[in-house]
Amino acid sequence: MSTKEYNLLNMKAAEEGKANKIKIGSECMDIKRHVYQTLLKWKNDNCHTTLEVNGARQVGKTYIINKFANENFSHKVYINLFELSGEQFLSCYQKACDWQPGEGPRPQAPLHDAFRLFDENFSDTEDTVIIIDEIQESAEIYNRIREFTRQFRCRFIVTGSYLGRIYEPEFRYSSGDVTSIQIYTLSYEEFLEAYHLARANGFSNINVDLISAIPGQTVESWRRTLEQVMALSPEHISAYSLILEEGTTFYKKYVEDEAKEGPKLPDEDAERQMYWDTETLMEKNGYHRYEISNYAKEGYACRHNLGYWERIPYLGFGIGAASLVPGDLTGKCRKLEGKMSRYTNPDQLREYAHSYRNKFQAELLTETEEMEEFMFLGLRKMNGISKKEFSEYFGKSLEDIYGEPICKLESLKLLEQDDDRVWLTKRGIDVSNSVFVEFLLEE
């Protein structure tokens, strides 16, 4: 297993299958990330720089930074510029810095005054740390990073989601007095520690996500990955193949620029072999394939996954998340052609947090769109779709709507059917996207 594969392993306590009611103290499940040593090195470094912490969302930046601060400093000031603490600090900052000529002596240390206004216990000592989270929310604060280092004895840690913001003209990149580190997802060793901690604390239902066809991966290394994970005997394994989306940095590097330096993507033959090996090895080790990319031991198929493929109504929370709900929650359309509607949340964090129902992007699904989704989502499951359920939901028979494409795909040995169900063959799974296209209807 390569280092890159290690970093793409994501262990999570699964929601599927049987429920566990376990009360676990916070320290019981606490794993000390390897990056913790990097944080200690920064604290003990005589250079006295501001620490800039980068990393994708949901990799634990805020948690580990606060844990490190609590354990290694006598006083911590935490400011999140996206939350109420951020609004309060900016108010203190404006009050401390809002000086006009003729209003008396000019403040000598307005930044210090701002932190004292915000935290009456603030003391500018080496044993104090100030954490400014979501710093991309204020260009003015971001642009003062170097001043933090030079004007204060205390230590500063700044973090946030910089992409898209620091390229705007009002943001000035600080090239000096800053130490930058990157927090990644769990390393393989950290993954193992988390896995065994979960087992030791009573979790009897664990899922592991794997990604194949990543840069530098070979058929042999992928097999080793599968074997190592299955040796741990998790109840559920999701095995996805990397998909490159146009317009992303990853796509530009590995497709448009063909990765002139560094590891290359596996070729098409290697990717296909990885796909076949996944099913073979999973079946050999007692994992039932119940959906194109998901495998489980008996009784542990993921209810969340199945609910999505079967179009059970759901609510999505978070930026860019989608919901599928019965009827029309906006109240703007009294007569629906279909029975379901989809809502997509704003894709910007601040807009999402302050949004109301009328800011959601609402898409009222037509009957045609619902039929299409019924087919290409349902056919992802190994047991396919039910003719009876189609008829009950739409009031029309499956044969009347899709008789021709089903007959065509069955003759090509891409589909099979019995009295009630229609499902993909192994050959059909291999070319599933081409199969799904056959179920698009003309409006």
Side-chain angles (χ1 to χ4, degrees), residues 130-359:
I130 297 175
I131 300 172
I132 304 179
D133 203 351
E134 302 292 357
I135 196 171
Q136 79 283 349
E137 294 298 319
S138 172
E140 187 163 359
I141 301 301
Y142 180 87
N143 295 338
R144 289 188 178 274
I145 288 178
R146 296 183 71 178
E147 293 180 65
F148 295 155
T149 303
R150 297 182 178 187
Q151 294 187 19
F152 289 80
R153 294 178 62 204
C154 66
R155 311 303 297 271
F156 279 84
I157 301 175
V158 298
T159 186
S161 302
Y162 303 107
L163 292 181
R165 284 296 183 93
I166 61 173
Y167 296 108
E168 295 175 5
E170 63 266 33
F171 285 79
R172 299 192 300 273
Y173 179 71
S174 180
S175 58
D177 302 310
V178 174
T179 296
S180 294
I181 67 168
Q182 189 87 11
I183 295 184
Y184 297 96
T185 52
L186 298 182
S187 68
Y188 181 60
E189 291 78 13
E190 291 170 331
F191 156 75
L192 285 178
E193 182 182 354
Y195 184 91
H196 292 308
L197 270 173
R199 285 294 193 216
N201 281 280
F203 281 93
S204 60
N205 186 11
I206 294 177
N207 168 69
V208 177
D209 280 6
L210 298 172
I211 301 181
S212 63
I214 62 175
Q217 194 176 56
T218 65
V219 172
E220 291 72 24
S221 71
W222 174 242
R223 287 174 183 158
R224 289 196 299 271
T225 296
L226 291 170
E227 289 165 354
Q228 285 178 292
V229 169
M230 288 186 293
L232 295 172
S233 196
E235 285 67 34
H236 189 282
I237 299 176
S238 296
Y240 303 101
S241 180
L242 178 65
I243 297 175
L244 300 179
E245 298 286 352
E246 288 190 51
T248 62
T249 302
F250 211 78
Y251 184 91
K252 183 178 189 317
K253 178 177 180 179
Y254 289 101
V255 178
E256 294 177 0
D257 298 342
E258 297 183 345
K260 297 179 177 63
E261 298 180 359
K264 304 291 189 294
L265 288 168
D267 61 31
E268 198 170 311
D269 289 341
E271 181 180 352
R272 182 52 48 188
Q273 188 62 53
M274 291 177 194
Y275 183 79
W276 290 330
D277 287 348
T278 301
E279 181 180 21
T280 301
L281 291 172
M282 291 284 192
E283 288 183 356
K284 182 180 176 182
N285 286 272
Y287 289 91
H288 167 66
R289 187 184 199 180
Y290 67 93
E291 190 269 341
I292 288 178
S293 301
N294 287 280
Y295 302 79
K297 293 182 178 180
E298 186 65 32
Y300 286 92
C302 178
R303 293 185 304 213
H304 175 274
N305 287 353
L306 289 173
Y308 183 79
W309 307 132
E310 293 169 1
R311 300 182 70 250
I312 293 174
Y314 56 86
L315 295 175
F317 298 93
I319 58 172
S323 301
L324 184 71
V325 297
D328 173 25
L329 293 184
T330 66
K332 295 177 180 178
C333 182
R334 295 183 179 179
K335 183 179 180 181
L336 296 177
E337 183 184 347
K339 299 180 181 180
M340 303 288 276
S341 53
R342 180 176 289 109
Y343 297 85
T344 304
N345 296 339
D347 59 6
Q348 297 298 317
L349 187 58
R350 181 167 292 277
E351 183 183 350
Y352 167 69
H354 295 285
S355 67
Y356 296 94
R357 186 175 296 171
N358 61 355
K359 288 192 176 181

